[in-house]
Amino acid sequence: MDRIIVRGKGPLSGQIPIAGAKNACLALMPATLLSEEPLTLTNAPRLSDIRTMTDLLASLGAEVTQLQDGKVLASACHGVINPVADYDIVRKMRASNLVLGPLLARLGHAVVSLPGGCAIGARPMDIHIDALTALGAEIELKEGYLHAKVAGGRLKGAVHEMRFASVGATENFLMAASLAKGTSVLKNAAREPEIVDLADCLRAMGAQISGDGTSTIEIQGVDRLHGATHPVVTDRIELGTYMLAPAICGGEVELLGGKIALVESFCEKLDAAGIHVEETKDGLKVKRRGDIVNAVDVVTEPYPGFPTDLQAQMMALLCTAEGTSVLEEKIFENRFMHAPELVRMGANIEVHGGHATVHGVKKLKGAPVMATDLRASVSLILAGLAAEGETVVNRVYHLDRGYERLVRKLKAVGADIERVSE
């Protein structure tokens, strides 16, 4: 099993290109199931989760080809579709549940295993089930699989209000409703940029969607969708992660392809912490205003609030801030598993339920630590960049699910980092 070794070195300088959004691409790829014509995605990230979704779509009968070293995904699903999404693939990744809506829309039936992914809370499927049931699906759980069918073979438009603004459930509803008969309205819809990106893609395929980016989305169902070419939106979580590198280490780094609009609430917290962010013609430049990072309080919320996927990385910054910070996690339970590992590096953190209190210390010290999930993994690497001595991060396979060529990108701006195999 691979490890990543990080040695604190000092200020960083240079440019980091930001990849296409993993979470957007994983929702866009199942859209190929909605049409017999090809769907081509450009600016695709090169990640293990993308390979897993490729394997899943292939098992369902789609053809997915990687072009330009994996940055372009060309897919088509014009043949016989297998309606069963098997446990052996689905268990590897939470986003596998995004084939449920498209399969129901295209075939009128589906059998999809309950999904896997990072161990960061229950993340129940009932919100997805309620949304698709509103469109006329009948869904029951049997032996770990969701067995879904539509009476009459075609979903019907409906008005549905979600109890929580779930991104995945919004995506499943959007894709399913695009081929439903009549008009559908989704209330309390997720507003993330990835939702807008999916809606843009579906519109390019012929879907009639309005209101994406707001809490109420309207979809006028059509009889068929056609092929399209669509660029994947910039990954705002990768962007925010690398913005924290110069904030923690010092120096100045430009994030190519970045936009403040993608990470506005995050930038507000960086500003309060004493980090300067400015837009350039190519992206964002980030640097500290002075030698001290200020303590700030953070509450994770659905978009446009502070992203839960940047909470662990923000904690790494606040470990050496001046003063006391409180982080409240309101999206997922059990998402402070990185805190004990940061404590091993000398951080002063107290966790009580959904709250973590971080008392800033002058310096972290390198130590062997263990990654527990995707975002926790990278938070430990960020902490190691400015720690005294050597930090060894174990179980880094999580990183391959969400960060494209991380070691190479950090090395390019002066970090002392390497990946080694045991």
Side-chain angles (χ1 to χ4, degrees):
M1 191 176 294
D2 287 3
R3 298 172 295 161
I4 288 181
I5 300 173
V6 189
R7 301 173 188 91
K9 188 178 178 182
L12 305 177
S13 178
Q15 298 176 323
I16 297 178
I18 304 301
K22 179 195 84 159
N23 290 338
C25 196
L26 291 175
L28 294 165
M29 292 174 71
T32 195
L33 298 171
L34 295 168
S35 175
E36 294 184 354
E37 297 181 20
L39 173 63
T40 301
L41 301 176
T42 61
N43 195 38
R46 293 163 288 191
L47 302 166
S48 63
D49 273 8
I50 302 302
R51 291 191 293 272
T52 298
M53 183 61 81
T54 297
D55 292 342
L56 177 58
L57 292 174
S59 76
L60 300 176
E63 299 174 8
V64 183
T65 303
Q66 294 188 353
L67 306 172
Q68 296 183 21
D69 194 26
K71 292 193 73 173
V72 175
L73 299 174
S75 59
C77 194
H78 45 69
V80 176
I81 300 178
N82 167 29
V84 180
D86 193 71
Y87 168 77
D88 284 340
I89 301 177
V90 174
R91 67 179 175 82
K92 299 176 183 178
M93 184 180 64
R94 180 75 187 175
S96 300
N97 59 23
L98 294 177
V99 301
L100 181 57
L103 286 174
L104 278 173
R106 178 87 175 266
L107 299 178
H109 60 278
V111 179
V112 178
S113 171
L114 290 176
C118 291
I120 52 172
R123 299 199 279 184
M125 277 294 293
D126 62 313
I127 304 176
H128 297 250
I129 294 170
D130 291 346
L132 295 173
T133 298
L135 295 173
E138 300 173 10
I139 304 175
E140 60 178 327
L141 176 62
K142 293 191 293 187
E143 299 176 341
Y145 282 78
L146 295 173
H147 292 251
K149 61 182 179 180
V150 181
R154 187 177 182 186
L155 296 168
K156 293 181 174 63
V159 176
H160 177 66
E161 183 169 357
M162 297 195 297
R163 62 176 176 81
F164 176 78
S166 163
V167 174
T170 300
E171 292 165 340
N172 252 327
F173 189 94
L174 272 182
M175 289 187 279
S178 292
L179 288 178
K181 184 177 181 179
T183 302
S184 298
V185 178
L186 183 62
K187 298 181 178 180
N188 195 28
R191 299 161 58 188
E192 274 77 356
E194 294 81 9
I195 299 295
V196 176
D197 199 40
L198 175 61
D200 284 342
C201 178
L202 292 172
R203 277 191 289 264
M205 297 172 69
Q208 297 181 19
I209 300 171
S210 61
D212 46 291
T214 75
S215 58
T216 301
I217 303 177
E218 183 171 313
I219 307 101
Q220 178 65 49
V222 297
D223 291 336
R224 64 182 296 275
L225 295 176
H226 53 72
T229 297
H230 176 79
V232 180
V233 69
T234 298
D235 194 322
R236 62 194 173 96
I237 304 304
E238 186 188 42
L239 172 61
T241 298
Y242 288 126
M243 289 171 71
L244 284 167
I248 290 173
C249 299
E252 181 176 280
V253 173
E254 185 176 20
L255 297 313
L256 303 178
K259 297 179 180 177
I260 287 177
L262 290 171
V263 284
E264 202 161 348
S265 62
F266 175 68
C267 286
E268 290 172 2
K269 291 299 179 182
L270 288 185
D271 181 62
I275 310 303
H276 176 72
V277 180
E278 67 174 284
E279 286 195 333
T280 69
K281 65 181 179 63
D282 297 318
L284 298 179
K285 275 188 179 178
V286 181
K287 64 179 179 180
R288 287 185 185 181
R289 286 201 189 90
D291 295 332
I292 295 172
V293 173
N294 305 317
V296 295
D297 294 339
V298 172
V299 179
T300 65
E301 295 176 311
Y303 187 86
F306 191 97
T308 181
D309 280 350
L310 287 173
Q311 175 258 111
Q313 301 92 306
M314 190 70 178
M315 183 182 284
L317 172 68
L318 297 176
C319 283
T320 53
E322 188 169 88
T324 297
S325 306
V326 177
L327 293 92
E328 182 179 0
E329 177 56 63
K330 296 178 70 173
I331 305 299
F332 297 126
E333 72 274 25
N334 200 29
R335 205 172 195 188
F336 288 130
M337 291 187 288
H338 47 282
E341 302 303 306
L342 289 169
V343 169
R344 289 175 54 81
M345 300 176 67
N348 184 350
I349 304 170
E350 303 164 9
V351 175
H352 299 285
H355 294 77
T357 302
V358 182
H359 305 283
V361 299
K362 287 188 179 296
K363 196 80 173 174
L364 295 179
K365 295 185 178 180
V369 291
M370 183 173 293
T372 53
D373 63 63
L374 171 55
R375 307 306 173 185
S377 305
V378 80
S379 74
L380 299 174
I381 289 171
L382 288 173
L385 289 174
E388 289 181 353
E390 183 176 276
T391 299
V392 180
V393 184
N394 296 286
R395 292 177 63 184
V396 296
Y397 60 86
H398 293 289
L399 283 169
D400 298 328
R401 296 185 48 234
Y403 290 95
E404 175 186 294
R405 304 179 181 184
L406 177 139
V407 170
R408 182 186 301 183
K409 289 183 178 183
L410 287 175
K411 270 189 172 181
V413 293
D416 187 349
I417 181 172
E418 61 179 323
R419 182 166 179 157
V420 298
S421 298
E422 291 184 358

